[in-house]
Amino acid sequence: VIHVDDGTEFKGDTYKWFVKNNINVRVAKPGRHRMQAIVERRNQMIGKELFKRMVKQELLTGHISVQWTKDLKNVLSDMNKK
């Protein structure tokens, strides 16, 4: 399940991609700022964790890291256990 706001970036091709990949989409109702704030905070936490991993990897290797694409599943799994 993915929670999104009602912005245009989640309509059209993006929405079709979600459906094609069997991802259940929940669109926040307008005026439900608290609900959306919770989702935005969770996204911030995910981004922060991935950023820390990327910086660590880049400092170790000296190369731009794209490891986050592989780490995302683990980060989400770890966060959902809490």
Side-chain angles (χ1 to χ4, degrees):
V1 176
I2 187 166
H3 294 260
V4 299
D5 59 25
D6 62 346
T8 57
E9 66 270 25
F10 299 112
K11 297 177 181 173
D13 290 339
T14 303
Y15 183 79
K16 289 175 190 173
W17 185 87
F18 287 143
V19 171
K20 178 182 168 192
N21 289 281
N22 296 318
I23 298 171
N24 204 2
V25 180
R26 287 185 146 183
V27 179
K29 295 178 182 178
R32 297 283 178 110
H33 301 292
R34 183 164 191 241
M35 186 170 98
Q36 196 59 32
I38 293 168
V39 173
E40 294 294 342
R41 175 67 179 130
R42 191 69 157 179
N43 288 343
Q44 183 183 35
M45 292 168 63
I46 293 166
K48 185 176 180 180
E49 184 61 35
L50 290 173
F51 181 74
K52 287 191 300 188
R53 291 173 181 232
M54 286 171 46
V55 168
K56 183 178 178 181
Q57 186 72 21
E58 290 175 1
L59 290 172
L60 287 172
T61 65
H63 300 294
I64 295 173
S65 174
V66 293
Q67 183 68 29
W68 71 270
T69 59
K70 295 175 184 167
D71 290 342
L72 180 58
K73 186 176 182 178
N74 294 331
V75 168
L76 295 177
S77 178
D78 289 346
M79 291 181 85
N80 286 327
K81 290 178 187 174
K82 295 179 182 178

